[in-house]
Amino acid sequence: MFDRRFINYFDWGLLGLSVLLGFVGLATLYSAVSSSIPTQSPHKILYFKQLIWYGAGLAVMVIAFLINYKSIERWALLFYGICILLLVCVMYFGKYVGGAKRWLILGPISVQPSEIVKIAVIISLARYYSKIANTGGINLRDLFTPLVITIIPFFLIVKQPDLGTAMLVILIAGSMTVFIKIEKRSLLFIIVSCSLIAPMVWFFLKGYQKIRILTFLNPDRDPLGAGYHIIQSKIAIGSGMITGKGFLKGTQNALFFLPEQHTDFIFSVLSEEWGFAGSTALLIVFLMLIIYGLNVAYRCRDPFGTILSVGITSMIFWQAFINIGMAMGLMPVVGVPLPFISYGGSSIISIMICIGLLINVSMRRFMFE
Amino acid sequence: MTKYLKTADMEWYKQRVIISMLFVAAAFIVLFVRLFYLQVIKGDELRRLSENNRIRLQSTDPPRGLIFDRNGVLLVDNRPSFDLSIILKDAKPVKETIRKLSKYIHVSESELTAKIASAKHSSPYKPIVLKQDIGRDMLAAVEVRKYDLPGIGVNVKPRRHYINKHRAAHLIGYLGEISSGELKSSKYSELKQGDFIGKFGVEKAFESFLRGKRGGRQVEVNVMGQVVSVLKTVDARPGKNIFLTIDHILQKQAEVLLKDVAGAVVAMDPENGHILALASSPPFDQNIFVDGMSHEQWEALISNPFRPMENKAIQGEYPPASTFKIITAIAGLEEGIIDDNFIIYCPGHYKYGNRIYRCWKRGGHGNVDLVKALAESCDVYFYQVGQKLTIDRLASYATACGLGSPTGINLDQEAEGLIPTSAWKRRRTGISWQGGETLSVAIGQGYNLVTPLQMVVLTAAVANGGIRYKPLILKEIKTAEGKTIISGERQSIGQLPISKQTLARVNKCLWEVVNHPKGTGRIARIDGIDVSGKTGTAQLVKRRDDDTESEADISDHLKDHAWFVSYAPSVDPKIAVAVIVEHGEHGSSAAAPIARDIMRTYLKKDEYDRHLRLAANPSMRITIKDKTQTGEKDAIQRSM
């Protein structure tokens, strides 16, 4: 059963990059929680919680690479079904936090099933696409099943509401679909019909829904909320200048402006303290990790493994791109966690499963034929 | 379908992966460029803005909705209040700044530092309020030395102002600072510590309408924390204006009439349930709840034996006394116990078991039929009706008439009163119901408890032909621009358990109460308008089974409560009024004149206009009361 080649082909690079990002995340989180209101020491608990989540994440990662991904392919539907069930549970038994119902309470811990659902969607789509892919591209009829796979969790997550994660599901599914190539005529049809339907949907939206979307697209419309966060985030990043203010020396996040400083706006904390040099380094590490993930897809010898790796990498890419872009004022303000860095147990577990799966595909690349 | 023949091979996948890598690289270049722009090109500027956190958010409190009476007379508004505050991060050196400030405004340093110490747990950029509602002198002293006082600011906030001291205090209620428990509830999710919310009365009931939406502005400040420029502003949205159903003239008159006694007055329009006046005495000053009160003021309020904090009109539970005879009469008529032949001889007392039950009139009423029984309030008559009805049958009528349960008025803490049944007594005391207790209940004594509001709803229903309307305090809610968004709708909550014909007989009897020469309510007559009503004298000390106390034994503060329920005109009534005067002794003398004066003001235009002029010009106050009372006495003598 155990094959020595596993050790020979084990992807130390992937593991190394992940551990490096993990340490950067812990350091940044430490700074974020220490420089927030000093008298509120319970915030420090966040830091230790995150440490424990990393430990758990490592264990889950090991499981994720030990199980042969071929069997994962076989059980894709079951995994998907369980995840959807969990989302339905959130709808009925979930806990309200800050106006949204995203959490399931399991004893002492609370989990966010939407984080795991992303992986289920990736595996299911990879399994489906690997069977129908062809060089001419897939047509409209082939798109029906992927649409169903994507739309069910999408609506369940929108209902929570968690627009960021819901949008991410669409982006990941979209990336995988584009990767697999859509037939030209079908693609044209999709683009034309979408641009026709969008204005009609807009027409049917209620006033407050329109305002919410406009604010989402243009945070300046909400100068006391999102708009203010963006400005403070930009000031924090910019004030880091080239070398940064130094570890634990950041001042912007001490202001009472960012309740989400250790989740959504963690990049601005890092950027203020480490400057252009440190931020660039972080971007390069992320870029390396993503290219590494794509390289796993490149070297893989079977379609399922390839598409799976592309899907997982696209998830890491979109989260990093959106989160950092948002902190720099390039994107709408959405709650998308920065992989490895942002605070949040479910997010850590989910990203560690992803790394495990990439290692899984990578170390089994010579096991075919 | 030729394209399906070309299955994707691994070489094809490799090509697609390479394209993906290029895409990722391009996206990261965008991020790098943006990072470079922010940190290198704009770095200096943004670093400057980050020093002392130059870009700040200041919130603006919304003005709370105004409260008017039914005719649009303003009862509650807001006035500007200037609050002195400090931002610690800006006020460097803090000690020196406090010392200077203390000198300028003549407030001791220790008082100021105590304020700061109590707010130690908040962010250093959050303004700490040093002194609320400072006067013009202090304001000027601070403004002039603005540049000598870094981190010190003055914020203008709208503050609640109850225009007429004591006016409708219990109905309108008051505001109080939000508690930490309330802050956690989702209802107040937009609020923060230090905000004021409605805690009592209309202020509480319509909190969500009255409260507006907070606004704010993004500002750039200098090193001293002073605003250099305003970057963005979001206007605060004022709350909605509330128009109550009360008429401020009637309300004021009710309060003046209750001035020296403890008690309550409720006036209602029988046709739609609109509450025209709702007064409880003694009142309290609502403004001290907003402006802050001393410990002594609070002590005085809660230790006052006449309970000024209680809205007696809806929270006060009293034995209904003889006003309950309306119910006993209704039950007796409907159950066929009282018919044309039912005539009782009243010798002044009634023997039941081995106990003597007295009539209030020692000498007795002689032969009594229903009309005389109600008009002269004969106890013996109703003892016998009650005895024939038995307690549970009587209780079912009382309950169907709306007693023993809240009316559903849109105010907090409405009492439900009590209508005893045999099952209730067994559950409560373990002792079974005694026949003699039924006799007490039949004349409104015993365990019976009602609120003035329940009585006015009942009286209004008797007046309007039998429909019980939910008491309504809201006429309409309008936006600040004047657009009506909600109108109070008339809502029936039940029907009296009585036929139209029988009700007409009761109406006739209630007319006799006021208009019969010996009627107990004859003091309530109004020139040119027919009045109907019922008096009541409620024993304050609950009568025990073996109690045979005489009225003379009772000391002053245990004197009976006086009731009067009435409506006018007797035909096609326009107003129903319930009055209770605590320790007023007799309904006829203490409560009835109050109801009469209110009805007269409401129904007689010249009288109303006179009060309107009086309200507009308080200096020409004349002694209305004495004048009218002598007039009334003449009238009574004439009719006797």
Side-chain angles (χ1 to χ4, degrees), chain A residues 65-83:
Chain A
F65 70 65
L66 282 181
I67 304 168
N68 189 335
Y69 69 88
K70 281 276 150 194
S71 3
I72 292 178
E73 181 181 3
R74 228 168 292 134
W75 295 106
L77 238 67
L78 181 70
F79 182 46
Y80 179 82
I82 292 172
C83 286

Side-chain angles (χ1 to χ4, degrees), chain A residues 20 31 71 100 131 155 163 299 319 326 338 353:
Chain A
L20 178 63
S31 173
S71 3
K131 299 213 161 64
F155 276 118
L163 276 177
R299 288 187 303 182
Q319 286 193 210
M326 174 194 75
L338 184 58
I353 294 175

Side-chain angles (χ1 to χ4, degrees), chain B residues 39 69 114 146 309 319 390 425 459 556 586:
Chain B
Q39 297 195 297
D69 88 335
K146 213 166 135 184
M309 295 300 294
T390 70
K425 195 192 169 193
T459 310
D556 255 16
H586 292 291

Side-chain angles (χ1 to χ4, degrees), chain B residues 158-188:
Chain B
R159 185 176 275 250
R160 205 57 159 170
H161 178 224
Y162 301 96
I163 297 171
N164 307 296
K165 193 175 174 182
H166 297 161
R167 180 67 30 79
H170 298 90
L171 175 66
I172 290 171
Y174 50 81
L175 301 182
E177 205 174 321
I178 189 166
S179 71
S180 50
E182 286 163 331
L183 265 176
K184 283 185 196 119
S185 110
S186 60
K187 213 170 121 193
Y188 302 112

Side-chain angles (χ1 to χ4, degrees), chain B residues 520-582:
Chain B
T520 54
R522 56 192 184 278
I523 199 169
R525 285 177 206 168
I526 301 172
D527 254 356
I529 295 168
D530 273 5
V531 176
S532 301
K534 182 74 197 80
T535 54
T537 303
Q539 280 159 328
L540 185 54
V541 186
K542 264 191 195 148
R543 189 185 287 176
R544 295 218 164 74
D545 288 347
D546 53 350
D547 226 357
T548 48
E549 69 200 12
S550 70
E551 275 179 48
D553 296 338
I554 303 171
S555 65
D556 255 16
H557 72 283
L558 293 177
K559 277 180 181 165
D560 299 342
H561 294 330
W563 271 107
F564 192 64
V565 297
S566 56
Y567 57 89
S570 297
V571 178
D572 198 10
K574 293 276 176 278
I575 183 169
V577 181
V579 177
I580 182 138
V581 176
E582 290 185 4

